[in-house]
Amino acid sequence: MTDPTTPAKPITPTTPTAPVTAGRREWAGLAVLALPALLASLELTVTNLALPAIGRDLAASGTQSLWIVDVYAFLLAGSLITMGALGDRIGRRRLLLIGAVAYGLASVLAAYAPDAGSLIVARGLMGVAGSTLMPSTLSLAASMFSDPRQRATAIGIIVASVSGGTAIGPLVGGWLLERFWWGSAFLLAVPFMAVLLVAGPLLLPERRDAAAGRLDVAGALLSLGAVLPLVYGLKRIAADGPEVTSAVAVVTGLALAAVFVRRQRTLADPLVDLRLFAGRTFSAAAATLALGIFVLWGSNYAVAQYLQLVHGLSPLEAGLWTAPSAAGVIAGSLLAPRIARRIPPSIVIATGLAVSAAGYLVLTRTQGTGGLAVLVSGAVVVSAGLGPMMALATDLVVGSAPPRRAGAAAAIASVAPQFGGALGIAVLGSVITAVYRSRISPAEVPEAARDNLNAAVVVAGSLPGRLASGLLDTARTAFVQGFHLTAAISAVLMAGVALLVVILLREDAGR
């Protein structure tokens, strides 16, 4: 057993060698790695579209419907750190293939679940299996492309694949659900995993840390115990506002996270090598990634509500209107590595963040039920500006870590957006809710409609035409005011982060 008081092993410097230019085999392998990245967002989008049919056929309650989506996200986020460290020890390709088998089997269980409880269990298994995919994908991409320029392009393609799933999700999901039953949304994963299992052993190299010790099981449990209540609390704050249960969950998660960090500092072979954060490039890039996704997920959540509750679009129609935003991320993440060959990555990231700040300023000009073009245009500018940050910051996180810690670094590159995004939805969603409640007059609006716009829409459905119209006008105006404030806050945040990136990452100019 490892003595918990043993100081961490120093990272032995290695003699730098000239990077090897990747060939056709590596690029073909990257196409294989893009499959789980594409599936990650595609599956979640399709699942959201399938929820009404699932609720009807399985008689799922409102709480069960939420857990069908949430349990996947909770266990995915909670297992990422452990899976990144496990891949360093048993082999990243091996972990990817094991995860592919587990994900495919869990997807079949979900597709044929006889009741809501069974589906929730299957979705939890999918979350754990899914946590093997992104850390393995990013770490393998980093090891296959040792040339910094090629690596940046490869990771940009991975990021674009994730956004591609978001863009085509409504189209694929709508087509499947119109022709088949809701289980087809989960069976969609099977052919993806089958291709990965066949092509992966042929095209992907095996990489692992031969010097790594045993997996820190206690640390793995602590990380899971920290992440689950933290993400749960943040999601509940976004949905219901601050309350005792969500506050206790967040505090519990933070307390367990502090214990986890303290334990990692004492281990010779930690689950997460905290010395990675001593490097300014690594820590600054990880923070930039978290903050960028903080505003992106928060604004995407608000835009989705705007489209459905203010403009009255169906979930499918709203999904189609958000597809251009995903295209903006794709364009930004694919173009950024090419631009970064001539301009320092810090300048490219900062410029993109400034562009996204301008996009948020556009979003402050939306006008109620009119101006759908303004809303979509602003969202596209925001996404196009954040695309370079997502690609290049991820590359800086993974590329600045020692090769033997690639799995752990890739896990951090995957966890940072999860935490940043969950926090962004909770914080920015709470701002909108607070502004909404402050603008609603108790004398004008029924009590049941005072919490949020969704409640007001439900109440309006039971009122006569003129009363319903008046309630909706009042509630929508209050929501839009909150939306404008969050857009302005996001613009200020992005401008500030852009300045910090130029200051903190200026040393990457020689990359």
Side-chain angles (χ1 to χ4, degrees), residues 102-177:
Y103 196 93
L105 292 175
S107 298
V108 173
L109 291 176
Y112 294 100
D115 52 58
S118 300
L119 180 55
I120 291 171
V121 172
R123 289 282 293 164
L125 294 174
M126 289 175 66
V128 175
S131 67
T132 67
L133 302 180
M134 282 308 293
S136 299
T137 295
L138 288 174
S139 57
L140 282 171
S143 64
M144 290 162 58
F145 297 89
S146 59
D147 178 80
R149 293 182 175 183
Q150 289 189 326
R151 187 187 64 232
T153 299
I155 291 179
I157 290 172
I158 297 296
V159 172
S161 298
V162 175
S163 300
T166 303
I168 67 174
L171 299 175
V172 174
W175 185 85
L176 284 173
L177 295 171

Side-chain angles (χ1 to χ4, degrees), residues 162-503:
V162 175
S163 300
T166 303
I168 67 174
L171 299 175
V172 174
W175 185 85
L176 284 173
L177 295 171
E178 283 183 3
R179 289 164 175 78
F180 307 102
W181 93 115
W182 56 265
S184 62
F186 301 113
L187 290 181
L188 182 64
V190 175
F192 280 81
M193 297 299 99
V195 173
L196 181 58
L197 288 172
V198 172
L202 300 175
L203 297 173
L204 302 178
E206 184 58 284
R207 294 288 188 272
R208 68 185 184 90
D209 178 9
R214 291 184 178 181
L215 185 71
D216 176 22
V217 177
L221 293 176
L222 273 174
S223 70
L224 186 64
V227 173
L228 288 182
L230 191 55
V231 175
Y232 171 81
L234 292 174
K235 287 179 72 69
R236 294 282 65 78
I237 290 172
D240 306 319
E243 57 181 9
V244 175
T245 302
S246 56
V248 169
V250 171
V251 171
T252 301
L254 291 175
L256 290 174
V259 176
F260 172 78
V261 170
R262 184 176 180 180
R263 176 179 175 80
Q264 297 308 294
R265 287 176 173 171
T266 64
L267 297 179
D269 290 296
L271 199 67
V272 175
D273 192 344
L274 297 177
R275 292 168 298 165
L276 292 172
F277 290 95
R280 186 165 67 175
T281 297
F282 183 94
S283 56
T288 300
L289 193 57
L291 289 170
I293 302 302
F294 173 94
V295 295
L296 180 62
W297 283 23
S299 62
N300 284 350
Y301 173 78
V303 167
Q305 286 192 311
Y306 201 118
L307 290 169
Q308 295 181 62
L309 301 177
V310 177
H311 284 281
L313 302 180
S314 69
L316 176 58
E317 291 172 330
L320 292 173
W321 277 106
T322 57
S325 299
V329 175
I330 293 172
S333 57
L334 290 178
L335 289 174
R338 293 180 177 272
I339 299 173
R341 295 174 184 177
R342 298 174 176 83
I343 302 174
S346 59
I347 302 301
V348 179
I349 294 174
T351 302
L353 294 175
V355 169
S356 72
Y360 281 115
L361 292 178
V362 173
L363 291 179
T364 64
R365 311 307 300 170
T366 55
Q367 298 294 328
T369 56
L372 184 59
V374 174
L375 179 69
V376 175
S377 298
V380 170
V381 173
V382 165
S383 299
L386 288 174
M389 179 279 299
M390 294 169 65
L392 296 179
T394 301
D395 176 52
L396 288 172
V397 171
V398 177
S400 62
R404 71 185 189 90
R405 293 295 191 187
I412 292 171
S414 301
V415 169
Q418 291 285 334
F419 277 119
L423 188 61
I425 292 173
V427 172
L428 297 181
S430 295
V431 169
I432 292 177
T433 299
V435 172
Y436 175 90
R437 292 173 179 172
S438 69
R439 297 293 189 272
I440 292 296
S441 171
E444 298 177 0
V445 177
E447 183 176 357
R450 295 173 196 166
D451 281 343
N452 52 60
L453 179 55
N454 188 54
V457 171
V458 172
V459 172
S462 62
L463 297 177
R466 180 174 295 180
L467 290 176
S469 178
L471 171 60
L472 287 177
D473 287 344
T474 301
R476 285 169 172 166
T477 298
F479 175 88
V480 170
Q481 290 174 340
F483 180 85
H484 287 167
L485 178 58
T486 60
I489 291 172
S490 298
V492 172
L493 279 174
M494 288 299 89
V497 175
L499 179 60
L500 290 176
V501 164
V502 173
I503 296 172

